[in-house]
Amino acid sequence: MSIKVVIVGGVAGGASAAARLRRLDENAEIILFEKGQHISFANCGLPYYIGEVITEKENLFVTTPEKMKQRFAIDVRVNSEVLRVDPVSKIVEIKDHEKNRIYTESYDKLVLSPGAEPIRPQLPGINSSRIFTLRNIPDTYSIKDYVDKMNPQRAVVVGAGFIGLEMAENLHLRGINVSVVELADHVIGPMDFDMAAIVHNHLRTKNVELILKDAVSAFDETETHINVTLSSGKVIKADMVIMGIGVRPDVRLAADAGLTIGSSGGIRVNEYLQTSDPDIYAVGDAIQVKDYISQNPALIPLAGPANKQGRIAADNICGGKEKYEGTQGTSIVKVFDLTVAVTGNGERLLQRNNIQYEKSFTHSASHASYYPGGIPMSIKLLFEKSNGKLLGAQIVGYDGVDKRIDILSTAIRAGMTVYDLEKLELAYAPPFSSAKDPVNIAGFTASNILQNNCKIFHWNEVDNINKGIGVLLDVREQVEFQLGTINGAVNIPLDGLRGRLHELPKDKTIFVFCQVGLRGYLASRILTQNGFEARNLSGGLKTYGMAVEKQTNEGIFDTHLPELHTLEETPSPITELDACGLQCPGPIMKVFDTMKSINENDIIQVKATDPAFQEDIKTWCNSTGNQLLDVKFENKTFIAKIKKGIKEDSPRDMKDRNANKNNKSMIVFSNDLDKAIASFIIANGAASMGRKVTMFFTFWGLNILRKPKNTTSIKKDFISRMFGVMMPKGSRKLSLSKMNMAGIGPKMIRNLMNKKNIYSLEELLTQAQKNGVEFVACNMSMDIMGIKKEELIDGVTIGGVASFLGSAEESDMSLFI
């Protein structure tokens, strides 16, 4: 005798259950009721149809009722709303909206897949025709038709979850100015604040107004627009509103039928997906699931789990005993250029469930750094303190995020630890990954923390560091330090740390940081093994900076709208500049050098792959007074457009620099190759910021300026000739201060710099001269050491200490190297 199965609701859960049932039982009678017209559509693709990324309506449909009937011999009844379930009589009552009649249908087994419905709070003015929700195909058509016909200029998206941000992006693509309003302190609820901060920054760069920790309190529609009033009192004038504050499970049928509703508000099911009535199964967004990490009840409305639940319910209806073991919440979303992904639990859930955890942050390139287009991704791991078992992961990046979140999701499902991540053998080729994949790197970092190889501190602990018992140490290069650091930090670059340990107190904890954490880790190992108490900032300045900066940009549309067409409207010439492959400060230096050769109001379009460039160019433009017209990420490249010229409201007018004493001066005493490189990196960085830079070369530092060969005979006494023989003749003969290894060390450094596309010392020296850096050779030192002016490269001024002191008095920084 064949079984009769009635399924209420299609899309992910119901349609999957129907198809699986037919594959398992050719003789079963299967009826699928759907109150709308469409039984299976690409729910997650709806925003992209509105944004015209998906251009054909037909592409939104996974299958049609006709195809379902033909292929699976399933009785599909659309526009048929199930009004009531009677578990005792085992019948359902249906309203056929097409024929306007009500009838009943019996069942042996029933599958409930009613889904969830958008939350639409009962606020004043909520029923305005300008307010939309997005859940199904009709909603999609309504929004797109409104955008197409009414040409709205301003939209408010209420709620910054997945749907909210996808709608913000796609409305922005249609040329609409978008404001996102979110009650929480960060976007994307399952993420932690520190990772969401990266998304906040990205939204601001796209001129999306982001308003956090505020809620909508009322709507007021006028003839021309709708006023959106927030709880803070702020009023936003908009042409349309998208409500995306979340969904609630549709449990009406289940509750009316007397089925148990869980503590989370979803239909309670057992591990076999049976409700409190064993002949009624429930799947999809309407059910209460078990959180895979905490094993606590939860609502996690995702398409992937719904599909699996439909399959499992079908298996069990046909006699199986398959268990649904819980939902991890693995999800991914595109936010403009970024890819954002999560799996497992975040900090809020772990704290709520009293799970003892630790966390780590890493910023690794998506593939080998020497292969073009590698862009860092930020990975946060959460793991048990006791054994390193993975509890959750969050990733934000531009490329390769999907691959890594799937690896970490699988690792969580398999009960793996951070130690296991170290050992994973993952596919490697330069265009796709690195020999040490970002997942491996995350494992190494987390393992070091648990094994106490590296004591850490986190971004939210920085402000609580007692300066009386701790020292903040920035181990980045000085040019990086100048672009911004943590308030109160001292700067000792990593490569010079061993020689400057005496500058640090051993009776205080040294809180070390660098840009992303790697150099800080190396520095902490050096310090620890030399008797210091050291801790490294997890995730470095990148994590700290994103988290502590202002997260919102309220009011960007209040006084004026973004000039979206500035470049099309201006006739100014555009100079193309390729800085791809160069690392900081290379791209900035190249921009500065090019600026000198173009006219006022001309525009430079510069391309770079250095991830620091997007923020550095903003700082540079702000400091120099040039106008940053646009920064975007396209085809794995950062593209900036800069207009030459002094802005009248520039906080640092170039014309007043000398009066403000913003020049830089340095004494170059050493002729060590590494110190010489550092000197010229700093000089070029400062010069590219528009500063006047003076380099005063004295004693051994003079050797940097010597010509490799003399073209004319120079008369010298015996002592001077001896000095000349013993000292290095020019920059290519310099040795390293450490690890010189009979000349092998300098060759290794130069070869490594070449591979990493970092300017050589000679290129830095030439660049400095082009940038207007003044070279002053100490006359007294030249006399003592027997060095003649003819031996020095062209463009060097001979001067005394007064020359240096004069420049130092006009400087806000003087260095001795």
Side-chain angles (χ1 to χ4, degrees):
M1 183 176 174
S2 63
I3 189 172
K4 183 178 181 180
V5 182
V6 168
I7 300 172
V8 180
V11 197
S16 294
R20 178 66 171 173
L21 277 166
R22 176 57 73 222
R23 292 195 297 272
L24 294 176
D25 188 345
E26 183 65 19
N27 298 314
E29 181 182 358
I30 306 169
I31 306 174
L32 190 154
F33 291 106
E34 171 57 51
K35 65 181 177 181
Q37 288 182 300
H38 312 287
I39 60 165
S40 186
F41 56 89
N43 210 319
C44 298
L46 301 182
Y48 299 100
Y49 177 69
I50 296 168
E52 297 186 335
V53 177
I54 298 171
T55 57
E56 301 297 330
K57 290 182 179 180
E58 292 72 19
N59 293 338
L60 294 174
F61 302 110
V62 177
T63 189
T64 64
E66 293 74 24
K67 288 181 179 177
M68 194 86 169
K69 290 176 182 178
Q70 182 179 13
R71 176 162 294 182
F72 295 102
I74 292 171
D75 185 357
V76 179
R77 304 182 192 178
V78 296
N79 295 312
S80 298
E81 182 181 1
V82 174
L83 302 176
R84 185 173 63 88
V85 175
D86 183 349
V88 177
S89 303
K90 300 183 87 169
I91 61 168
V92 294
E93 184 178 272
I94 308 103
K95 181 173 183 178
D96 183 340
H97 288 284
E98 287 185 350
K99 297 180 180 179
N100 195 27
R101 68 186 183 99
I102 295 176
Y103 65 99
T104 60
E105 194 74 57
S106 63
Y107 66 84
D108 296 317
K109 301 290 183 182
L110 177 66
V111 179
L112 295 178
S113 180
E117 55 189 1
I119 296 173
R120 197 176 174 96
Q122 293 305 305
L123 298 173
I126 189 68
N127 294 321
S128 166
S129 61
R130 295 176 183 265
I131 300 175
F132 303 86
T133 56
L134 179 63
R135 185 63 181 170
N136 53 37
I137 295 291
D139 293 342
T140 307
Y141 291 165
S142 295
I143 296 171
K144 190 171 189 304
D145 287 346
Y146 184 87
V147 173
D148 291 345
K149 295 174 182 177
M150 304 304 293
N151 192 30
Q153 300 299 301
R154 179 99 183 258
V156 172
V157 176
V158 183
F162 294 138
I163 291 293
L165 292 184
E166 287 173 340
M167 280 304 305
E169 175 182 352
N170 282 280
L171 291 175
H172 186 276
L173 286 175
R174 296 295 303 272
I176 301 171
N177 293 301
V178 180
S179 300
V180 176
V181 179
E182 170 57 51
L183 177 61
D185 65 351
H186 67 281
V187 302
I188 308 179
M191 294 198 80
D192 293 326
F193 172 84
D194 38 35
M195 293 296 285
I198 305 173
V199 185
H200 299 166
N201 178 70
H202 192 64
L203 289 170
R204 296 194 302 270
T205 67
K206 297 298 181 181
N207 284 322
V208 170
E209 183 180 31
L210 179 61
I211 301 171
L212 299 172
K213 295 189 285 188
D214 211 344
V216 174
S217 59
F219 301 99
D220 178 26
E221 184 173 8
T222 71
E223 289 185 7
T224 58
H225 62 273
I226 183 168
N227 290 318
V228 182
T229 302
L230 307 186
S231 56
S232 62
K234 180 181 176 70
V235 178
I236 304 173
K237 291 183 178 181
D239 299 309
M240 63 183 299
V241 176
I242 305 292
M243 297 298 294
I245 58 178
V247 296
R248 62 167 63 93
D250 186 350
V251 300
R252 182 188 58 80
L253 276 177
D256 290 349
L259 303 179
T260 302
I261 305 301
S263 58
S264 66
I267 303 170
R268 195 177 77 183
V269 295
N270 63 14
E271 57 191 354
Y272 302 108
L273 298 175
Q274 291 169 301
T275 66
S276 53
D277 184 321
D279 289 327
I280 302 178
Y281 294 74
V283 299
D285 295 353
I287 71 170
Q288 174 179 285
V289 297
K290 183 170 60 178
D291 180 284
Y292 188 77
I293 303 299
S294 68
Q295 299 295 296
N296 290 330
L299 294 174
I300 308 178
L302 293 170
N307 273 283
K308 296 173 184 63
Q309 292 157 11
R311 181 184 176 92
I312 290 172
D315 286 352
N316 293 336
I317 288 171
C318 293
K321 275 293 181 181
E322 188 172 352
K323 296 179 181 180
Y324 184 72
E325 297 180 348
T327 303
Q328 285 172 232
T330 304
S331 50
I332 191 166
V333 64
K334 176 182 179 292
V335 183
F336 289 91
D337 306 321
L338 284 180
T339 305
V340 183
V342 298
T343 187
N345 282 184
E347 291 195 60
R348 187 175 66 253
L349 281 176
L350 294 173
Q351 291 167 3
R352 183 187 302 167
N353 294 311
N354 296 315
I355 298 174
Q356 297 300 306
Y357 69 94
E358 184 53 274
K359 58 189 174 183
S360 68
F361 300 87
T362 52
H363 307 281
S364 305
S366 56
H367 61 245
S369 58
Y370 57 83
Y371 186 89
I375 303 292
M377 65 178 70
S378 300
I379 300 179
K380 179 177 184 177
L381 292 185
L382 299 121
F383 44 92
E384 284 192 24
K385 275 188 174 181
S386 59
N387 56 17
K389 184 179 178 181
L390 284 168
L391 301 171
Q394 301 169 25
I395 311 180
V396 181
Y398 294 88
D399 190 31
V401 171
D402 53 342
K403 170 182 176 179
R404 275 63 184 218
I405 201 68
D406 285 343
I407 293 169
L408 292 168
S409 174
T410 303
I412 290 174
R413 182 65 62 159
M416 295 172 69
T417 68
V418 296
Y419 307 115
D420 295 317
L421 297 185
E422 294 182 282
K423 303 168 187 174
L424 287 179
E425 183 178 334
L426 304 172
Y428 160 59
F432 307 107
S433 184
S434 300
K436 294 177 182 176
D437 189 86
V439 171
N440 298 133
I441 296 294
F444 296 148
T445 302
S447 298
N448 279 331
I449 293 170
L450 289 183
Q451 293 171 338
N452 216 26
N453 291 332
C454 179
K455 294 180 180 179
I456 61 170
F457 65 109
H458 292 294
W459 66 268
N460 56 333
E461 300 172 308
V462 171
D463 291 342
N464 296 324
I465 293 174
N466 186 333
K467 302 303 189 293
I469 60 174
V471 175
L472 273 168
L473 175 62
D474 186 339
V475 296
R476 299 174 302 149
E477 295 301 316
Q478 190 154 12
V479 68
E480 297 174 89
F481 180 77
Q482 286 182 315
L483 285 172
T485 187
I486 298 175
N487 187 37
V490 297
N491 179 223
I492 302 179
L494 171 64
D495 293 339
L497 179 59
R498 289 183 178 88
R500 298 177 62 181
L501 293 175
H502 63 278
E503 298 178 27
L504 298 171
K506 284 197 171 182
D507 61 343
K508 294 184 178 182
T509 300
I510 311 300
F511 293 92
V512 188
F513 67 93
C514 64
Q515 188 64 23
V516 297
L518 175 58
R519 285 174 287 176
Y521 164 65
L522 299 175
S524 72
R525 294 300 300 157
I526 293 170
L527 290 166
T528 299
Q529 294 177 82
N530 279 278
F532 292 87
E533 175 69 23
R535 294 181 178 273
N536 181 36
L537 177 59
S538 182
L541 192 61
K542 181 172 183 177
T543 297
Y544 171 83
M546 288 287 187
V548 301
E549 70 180 353
K550 190 174 186 295
Q551 301 296 308
T552 59
N553 58 350
E554 299 104 316
I556 62 169
F557 301 140
D558 290 353
T559 55
H560 65 278
L561 297 179
E563 298 178 7
L564 302 177
H565 308 292
T566 300
L567 293 177
E568 286 73 17
E569 294 172 357
T570 177
S572 302
I574 296 179
T575 300
E576 301 284 342
L577 182 61
D578 188 355
C580 293
L582 296 178
Q583 296 187 31
C584 176
I588 296 294
M589 290 165 55
K590 204 162 186 178
V591 169
F592 175 71
D593 190 52
T594 305
M595 275 290 183
K596 292 187 294 184
S597 64
I598 65 174
N599 299 318
E600 290 280 316
N601 296 318
D602 285 359
I603 293 169
I604 291 177
Q605 177 171 287
V606 56
K607 296 181 179 180
T609 49
D610 176 18
F613 176 73
Q614 189 172 21
E615 292 303 314
D616 286 352
I617 194 63
K618 295 176 186 176
T619 303
W620 183 84
C621 286
N622 185 56
S623 298
T624 61
N626 292 293
Q627 298 180 52
L628 181 61
L629 300 175
D630 185 35
V631 181
K632 61 184 177 181
F633 180 77
E634 192 173 89
N635 296 326
K636 301 182 181 181
T637 303
F638 296 96
I639 304 172
K641 289 186 175 72
I642 308 112
K643 187 175 184 179
K644 182 175 180 178
I646 307 302
K647 293 185 290 184
E648 291 301 321
D649 61 346
S650 173
R652 292 185 177 181
D653 198 315
M654 290 279 285
K655 294 175 289 187
D656 298 328
R657 290 208 181 279
N658 288 339
N660 292 335
K661 298 187 178 182
N662 286 322
N663 299 337
K664 310 296 176 188
S665 57
M666 62 179 71
I667 299 173
V668 184
F669 180 86
S670 171
N671 65 0
D672 292 328
L673 174 62
D674 44 342
K675 295 175 183 177
I677 291 170
S679 300
F680 282 98
I681 287 177
I682 295 167
N684 279 307
S688 70
M689 301 289 284
R691 280 23 173 212
K692 180 182 177 183
V693 182
T694 301
M695 301 180 75
F696 186 72
F697 295 85
T698 184
F699 284 96
W700 313 114
L702 290 166
N703 293 308
I704 301 170
L705 302 180
R706 294 179 71 192
K707 295 176 182 176
K709 290 183 180 181
N710 293 327
T711 56
T712 58
S713 177
I714 301 173
K715 288 187 177 182
K716 289 187 177 184
D717 57 32
F718 176 74
I719 296 296
S720 296
R721 289 200 303 273
M722 288 297 294
F723 262 110
V725 170
M726 291 187 293
M727 293 188 301
K729 203 168 190 179
S731 60
R732 295 193 178 276
K733 299 295 183 180
L734 303 185
S735 59
L736 289 176
S737 61
K738 305 288 183 183
M739 299 174 62
N740 190 58
M741 298 181 292
I744 297 174
K747 292 180 180 178
M748 292 174 63
I749 287 292
R750 288 178 178 274
N751 184 51
L752 185 60
M753 290 173 69
N754 182 53
K755 284 185 176 180
K756 296 285 187 178
N757 289 314
I758 299 172
Y759 287 141
S760 67
L761 173 57
E762 291 70 36
E763 290 171 318
L764 288 168
L765 193 153
T766 301
Q767 189 73 32
Q769 288 184 309
K770 288 182 179 179
N771 288 341
V773 175
E774 184 180 11
F775 295 172
V776 179
C778 176
N779 184 61
M780 180 270 293
S781 298
M782 290 175 62
D783 188 44
I784 291 175
M785 303 177 72
I787 296 176
K788 305 295 184 182
K789 182 177 180 180
E790 294 80 2
E791 293 181 75
L792 302 181
I793 62 175
D794 295 335
V796 177
T797 301
I798 309 300
V801 68
S803 300
F804 171 73
L805 292 176
S807 66
E809 286 186 358
E810 297 298 325
S811 302
D812 60 2
M813 182 192 80
S814 294
L815 301 176
F816 182 90
I817 300 177

